[in-house]
Each structure stands twice: as C-alpha cells, then as structure tokens.
Amino acid sequence: MEQITNIATFAGGCFWCMVKPFAEYDGIHKVTSGYMGGHLENPTYEDVKAGQSGHLEVVQIEFDPAIFSYEKLLEIYWPQVDPTDDGGQFQDRGESYKAAIFYHDSLQQQLAEASKQAIAESGRFNKPIVTEIREASIFYPAEDYHQDYYKKSANHYKEDRAKSGRDEFINTNWK
C-alpha cells in the first residue's frame, strides 16, 4: 500500500525550537528546518539571520494525513508561538523570526484562517493576532548542522531555549 504524504510549513521564530514539538508523533515522517518566503535563491543561515533575504526560518513537516491531520498540526503550532508579536518570536527579533503559516493548498489555507480566527475570538489574548497566513513558496532546507538540532546539540539547544522566554510564555498563555 502506498504511503500518502502531505506537507505543512510553519514559521515560529528560531527553527531549532520548532522541530521537537512536531517530530515525535506517529504519522509525522520528517521535520526539516529551512527557509521560505523570501527573494534570495539558495539562502544560507547567515543570509536569513541578517534579515535581508526576505526568508523566514521555517520547519517543513512531512505527514500522513490518514494518521495525523493538518488540523492537529495547527493545534500543536499555535501554542509554540506568540501570535500577537509581529517583530519576531521571543528572544529572536527581526523579519526572519516572525511567525507565519505557509499553506500548500486551498484546504490548508481555509483551515489555517479558521484556526487563526478561533484564536482571535477565544479571548486568550488582549492584542490582535498578527501571525501571517501566506502561500507557500520554494522551500530551502537549512544547513545539515541545523537539522534535528535539539538532538545533535542537546545541551546548547536546552540552554538557548531556556533563555529565550518561549517556555515561560507557553506556560503562562497556553497551559
């Protein structure tokens, strides 16, 4: 039987912190750190970090929709970000660290828009929800040393995440 794989792409600030929340579920085949949304072809980490490429740091998720739905991915995505911050995410500031959902088809667009509206109407936040919902474009995988960073460089990942403010925000606003 042929395995069906769909793709979802999310930006949520530093891509190191966006891999682990998705990586360890049945039905998720692969989570790749990379870049999307900009004008520079074949960007490097330094290009994106400098903020001149137009790209955002993203994770691209390959998943089996029969096992793990796009709606479930959205349920995991939203609590990883501050959807009211349009200047970056947590300690990572600038255009390349903004939160965004990149849709790959009209159904993903509809589901993403509906989930954003539900967050806005939930009363959870007293500021507007500014996370962008954008059409997916060319995905550029990040350099190998960024892939599965939370596993490869576990101590540095934990230190960086601990000082980012992400976990405190999640615990205060999403739990």
Side-chain angles (χ1 to χ4, degrees):
M1 187 167 136
E2 188 177 328
Q3 185 175 15
I4 297 174
T5 301
N6 282 4
I7 295 174
T9 307
F10 300 124
C14 176
F15 49 33
W16 294 345
C17 291
M18 293 297 293
V19 174
K20 187 177 180 183
F22 296 101
E24 298 175 355
Y25 288 97
D26 289 339
I28 304 291
H29 302 302
K30 187 175 184 184
V31 182
T32 306
S33 296
Y35 317 110
M36 184 179 279
H39 54 80
L40 184 65
E41 290 184 26
N42 301 308
T44 66
Y45 177 66
E46 294 305 321
D47 293 330
V48 176
K49 189 175 179 179
Q52 303 303 312
S53 69
H55 290 287
L56 279 65
E57 287 194 12
V58 300
V59 290
Q60 190 158 87
I61 303 161
E62 296 175 29
F63 67 102
D64 181 341
I67 298 172
F68 207 93
S69 70
Y70 185 73
E71 292 94 330
K72 182 67 177 164
L73 291 172
L74 290 168
E75 289 173 15
I76 294 169
Y77 170 75
W78 285 110
Q80 306 309 312
V81 302
D82 176 352
T84 68
D85 187 349
D86 65 358
Q89 289 291 293
F90 312 106
Q91 74 175 357
D92 297 303
R93 309 311 301 158
E95 191 73 21
S96 58
Y97 295 108
K98 290 175 76 168
I101 297 170
F102 289 91
Y103 60 86
H104 292 268
D105 59 35
S106 61
L107 179 58
Q108 284 188 359
Q109 181 183 17
Q110 291 169 9
L111 293 170
E113 293 285 359
S115 70
K116 180 178 176 178
Q117 187 65 34
I119 298 290
E121 292 173 356
S122 73
R124 181 181 297 270
F125 298 99
N126 59 9
K127 296 190 283 188
I129 305 304
V130 296
T131 300
E132 296 177 341
I133 298 177
R134 300 168 55 178
E135 186 173 6
S137 56
I138 297 171
F139 173 73
Y140 297 98
E143 297 80 354
D144 285 343
Y145 71 93
H146 290 297
Q147 305 305 330
D148 294 319
Y149 195 81
Y150 77 100
K151 291 180 185 175
K152 288 180 185 174
S153 299
N155 288 338
H156 184 254
Y157 166 78
K158 287 176 188 170
E159 289 170 13
D160 189 66
R161 184 166 177 121
K163 69 181 180 185
S164 74
R166 185 180 293 262
D167 292 330
E168 291 84 355
F169 180 87
I170 290 169
N171 288 332
T172 299
N173 293 281
W174 290 104
K175 299 282 181 191

